[in-house]
Amino acid sequence: MILSAAIALFVGQAQAQEQPEESDSTEATDPLAPHRVKFDVLAERAIGTASKPVEFNWRRTTVQLAATGSFLSELNNFNSLRGGGMVRFPTGGMLIEVEGSYAAAWDTPASNLLALTPYRQPGRPNRMELDFTVAYPLAEGVVTTAPRFFPAVQMVFNAYASFRYILYPTGFRGLRPGEVARAILSPNLSQDEIDNLDGNRLNSMQVDLGRYGLMLGLGNDVYFKQGLFLSPRILVAVPVLAPATQTDLLIWTDLSLAIGVAL
Amino acid sequence: MRNALAILGCLFAVSCGKVPIYGVNAFFTLADGSWFAEEQTLFVFYELSAEQGLGDPSVIEITYATDEERVPWTPVSDFDPVHTHIPVDCGVNRLCGSVSISVPLEPRDFDIRLRYHRDGELALEAEAVLNIVGPGAPHTNRSLVVYGVFEGSNQQVQWRGRHQFPTLRNQQVDRLGLRRDFLIRGQRFGTADTSSPTNPYGYGVDCPDFFVDAGLPEVGTDERAVFDADPLPLGASEASAVCADATVFDATGSFSAVALARKNPEVRGAFPVLRSPVHEASPIQFFFGPCDRVISAEHEAMQRQRLLAEGVPTYCIDDWASPDFVDTLVVDLRDAVEARRPLGEDMVLVVGINQDEPGAAVAIERALAQVVPGERERSTPRLAGAFVFDSTPRGLSLPELAPVTLWCPATLDLSEIPDASVRSCPTLPDIPDLELGPFSFGFLPILPSREQYLDFIDTYSTAQAGRVDTARFLTPEFAATSDHVDLGEFGVVTFLNGESISAGSDDAFSYCVQDQPAPFFFRSELLRNDGFGIVFQEACQAGVVPPQLCAFAGAGLLPIELLPMWHEQFGERNYELGLFWEFPFLLQAEYEAVVAGAATAFGVTVPFGVADPQEAFLGSEIWENDSFALDPTLTQCTRFCDHPTFDSAGVYNVTDPFRSTYAQGCYLPRFPVPGDPGFPIDP
């Protein structure tokens, strides 16, 4: 209703500006003629001023909670899936995300065959992962859905930067508190941790040394009017920290989906 | 921006690729087989490492052939082992273990390999070693030797098994998981040694029939050691050994042989502590100085304070150059000594010399030389020595005074080793005062020369020169039977009161070198024999005897460290024990040293200082105590001296008998005790 009235008003302005050029007689009889503007000009002006959410204002939420799951494509012969929970905080027009996940790795037919040979491939055994992410909205708006009986939703297209920290609790077994503290801060796993994890690795797996890494990616947040949201995204590991972490898993992807509620 | 994109581009270009695959790089560090004909058993030991990737799926397989069969590659876990083999954790990325297989005939074509995965076909073959041990005596041709050892009191036996493989050590076999059962029955005791250089454990050699049944129950273990449940009966105290029938098991069934346990050498301190009373000697004070003039009142006051002789009258030395000065002084000194002697105390002459003419000190020195040295070796009460505090630094000019006189301050000749008479209070080189702006700091030795003292008080004050609070002269009491052997410039050995060490001809001694050299000498009947002395001196002249021993050639005694060697050679029954000392008394002085300071401003100097209580020992510090321990230094073995010994790590050294091993070494055994783990250190 408001939008229609605004358009009518601008249409009136456009017509008022164009009339004097067409006919001097009309100008003399129409006092609004100087204020009239053509519709295409008005539409051009409206673009960029109607970008504020109208279906769901996620910026005004306090916290967002979500369950997450992801498939890791690590470019080795092992399969990995993650599941966990996420807390998001809108702030300064961005989202800060903190996520904890359990990542499970299992064999594939290829890795089973590799285990029969005297060769091993770097990979990561079952583990905990902590993600600290910043989501920056690049575009957003109200979009319609298909099938049509679903209501319109608020869509936000985000860029993500994420710091992922890998935690192997059993890797600290038998270490003194000081050694644990040093290991937590070290970019790569110590020999003691590697030894402790030897029983956890898959038969053809060589435990990868990296403890943390940086990921970049893109994704959408789809907010329903009631506050429910979906967040599919794709993240790509960026090996800028590889020289320090000594990881062999350089570029790989994480396809994830978060389902949650914004409060 | 463009550069950043270029760097990112390069990074991605390098990184884009699959995760690499690495080889595990496995290699065998041990792949040994040993076949024992007597046991018809093939023992296999293996150990391998890899950079990564070894785990439960990896298996070790072996193959061999005999004249009657060919065994294809078979996992070691598929064999029925003859003995117990426990799983062994050798660490991450390592595999190790052992297996024993019943193989009646001599094997050949023996090999070991690692199959990377039990379901895979790829394997790593080792360069296996096969040793064949043919038929023969039990102590050389069987894989387990059984022997016994005693705990520290020689009352209870610990029976031990010792793995004996051609290429492996006893404890290494343990680590690789092999456990052997053995049983001990029929223990009997007696005195005989059935061991030999080729069979040091005496395994498999029958014991004499006269050995007496000990009545001890059967014991057994699958570890390497087990203690008897009970000690031996008292009747076994004199017995040197215990024999038992030891049963071991192999692929043929069981095998019994005699095992031998020999008692430990019985060792004690040869002369645990030598005690001799040390008393405080009575000082006889003399203060020499000119009576017709005053050289320096401050210096004289300082000397008297240092000697605690404030009230002692001055003995005039104005006529020191007269011909009868020395004789008169000798008489006066002797009179003073004889006047004090009836009190029954040892004495020390305490002499202060306030002089500025060196000839006066020389004259006094000549007088002392006629009185003091002759008293040194008398029995108590005697004049033990003299302490002289002179005005100027000088050394003793009469060498006969050196063993009995402390002369302070003394000049120190660094070109030769100083004796105790001068090294106790040498004149230190002048250390310049520390100057910090208007402040200066200095330090004065407690026994300074006159020049040092006057310089000091010129800058500071007499109050900062320090003071002696107490002075004690400690000297040993010499019994009427004390015997002294003068070693000249080295010192004196005193046989205080007939202390001696008794020994059997089969006894053995051990001398253990300590941080401080032991101040003991010994002498024996043979050493005191004049004929032997002549032979000894001739041997010295011929260069047969080490030169350091020749210093004692004419004295008829030897340092205590040579007693083990001497007794081994001559086996004498009695050795007198003497105490070596260099100087007859110890001056123990407590004094107050002052770090002196002075502040000078506008022509006014204000002295100040920090006092520090100190203690000085001048003379021979041996007299600080009146007991002298020999226990860790000299030990004496009285029985079983040719039996094997334990060392300080608890290792049973079967080829190291006490007699020959510890004559010049420290015998610090660590014996097994009941309750010890069943795997003693036995390399």
Side-chain angles (χ1 to χ4, degrees), chain A residues 74-76 114-122 195 198 201 203 206 239-240 248-251, chain B residues 11-12 15-24 52-54 57 92-93 116-117 119-120 122:
Chain A
E74 293 179 323
L75 300 186
N76 56 17
L114 185 62
L116 306 182
T117 72
Y119 298 100
R120 300 293 177 260
Q121 190 172 39
D195 293 347
D198 195 65
R201 67 174 179 80
N203 284 334
Q206 172 185 324
V240 292
D248 282 303
L249 306 178
L250 299 175
I251 290 193
Chain B
L11 194 59
F12 276 75
S15 310
C16 278
K18 298 284 188 179
V19 175
I21 289 175
Y22 298 106
V24 300
Q52 41 137 345
L54 294 181
V92 178
N93 296 329
Y116 290 106
H117 194 287
D119 299 326
L122 296 174

Side-chain angles (χ1 to χ4, degrees), chain B residues 246-264:
Chain B
T247 302
V248 297
F249 302 91
D250 54 39
T252 65
S254 62
F255 171 80
S256 289
V258 174
L260 174 69
R262 280 171 290 173
K263 287 186 175 176
N264 301 307

Side-chain angles (χ1 to χ4, degrees), chain B residues 498-503 522-525 571-576:
Chain B
E499 291 87 354
S500 65
I501 298 171
S502 299
F522 75 94
R523 65 184 179 186
S524 64
E525 199 172 323
E572 294 190 84
R573 309 285 296 188
N574 199 62
Y575 300 98
E576 292 178 77

